[in-house]
Amino acid sequence: GDMVDLTITLTGQAPWDVTYEVNGATPTTITFNSSPFILTTDVPGDYTITDVVAASTCVGIASGTGTVTENPLPTANIFTDGSTSICANSTDCVPLSVNLTGTPNWTVTISINGTPQAPVTGITTSPYVFDACQGGDFEVVSVTDGNGCTDAGTGLVTVIENTAPVVSNIQTVCNGTNTAYNVIFEIAGGDPASYTVNGSNAGISAGPPYIFT
């Protein structure tokens, strides 16, 4: 984990034997040869100096407390509550959301098809919502929060870019009483689940091929 520097300032004649506790646990004694002394640690808690003895064997006055706080790593999960389909060669977009934890403000880096995009900075609220206007796989590469803590993101949303539907093999045949024509044609491309003819999906086969009669 990250390291934190605590500064201990001493007076009197070096060297000094300094005793300190972390959260009231078993005391630790270290000999310092210079002042100020930098105590580098990655252990969270309250550091309290309990005793100091100079080279002259004089017992000094110990004071001061330093607190090392361990901040949790931020998280970022990408998701969507709605459709993930857009039409090719259109201005269609779909909203994607990123749930965030940690301390604002956040910086989020999103990738499209594995290629990281420019980081989005200064995000103040969760979820962060943005428009996806192209097809591909959207993932969160990394998230950094206001404490400077960084972690990888989670989740994957695939935006499908559908081509326009195409009609082919158009046929006209007489109905059973020879009083009108029935039109038959094949539909391909686009999103088969959303095919309609004149506003209805009636008469479209469960293909492929998708035949309207």
Side-chain angles (χ1 to χ4, degrees), residues 95-192:
L96 304 183
S97 301
V98 180
N99 268 338
L100 298 162
T101 67
T103 301
N105 295 345
W106 293 274
T107 296
V108 172
T109 300
I110 294 169
S111 70
I112 304 175
N113 294 328
T115 301
Q117 307 300 297
V120 181
T121 62
I123 300 171
T124 59
T125 58
S126 176
Y128 163 64
V129 181
F130 67 98
D131 285 333
C133 303
Q134 70 179 80
D137 292 334
F138 288 74
E139 298 177 273
V140 178
V141 177
S142 65
V143 55
T144 301
D145 72 356
N147 292 319
C149 299
T150 300
D151 203 5
T154 59
L156 168 68
V157 174
T158 299
V159 176
I160 301 170
E161 190 172 28
N162 292 310
T163 57
V166 177
V167 172
S168 61
N169 299 326
I170 301 174
Q171 304 174 44
T172 56
V173 296
C174 291
N175 63 11
T177 60
N178 291 321
T179 57
Y181 286 103
N182 289 333
V183 179
I184 303 172
F185 52 81
E186 182 177 344
I187 310 171
D191 177 18

Side-chain angles (χ1 to χ4, degrees), residues 30-143:
I30 300 178
T31 298
F32 301 157
N33 293 307
S34 62
S35 176
F37 180 83
I38 305 299
L39 176 65
T40 301
T41 180
D42 62 354
V43 178
D46 292 329
Y47 287 68
T48 303
I49 297 176
T50 59
D51 191 33
V52 57
V53 179
S56 61
T57 68
C58 294
V59 178
I61 298 173
S63 64
T65 299
T67 300
V68 177
T69 302
E70 184 176 43
N71 295 307
L73 290 175
T75 65
N77 180 67
I78 191 169
F79 69 98
T80 181
D81 290 327
S83 171
T84 56
S85 294
I86 60 176
C87 295
N89 303 316
S90 73
T91 58
D92 290 352
C93 298
V94 293
L96 304 183
S97 301
V98 180
N99 268 338
L100 298 162
T101 67
T103 301
N105 295 345
W106 293 274
T107 296
V108 172
T109 300
I110 294 169
S111 70
I112 304 175
N113 294 328
T115 301
Q117 307 300 297
V120 181
T121 62
I123 300 171
T124 59
T125 58
S126 176
Y128 163 64
V129 181
F130 67 98
D131 285 333
C133 303
Q134 70 179 80
D137 292 334
F138 288 74
E139 298 177 273
V140 178
V141 177
S142 65
V143 55

Side-chain angles (χ1 to χ4, degrees), residues 185 187 191-207 210-213:
F185 52 81
I187 310 171
D191 177 18
S194 63
Y195 285 162
T196 62
V197 177
N198 295 328
S200 172
N201 60 3
I204 302 176
S205 68
Y210 299 92
I211 307 298
F212 172 78
T213 55

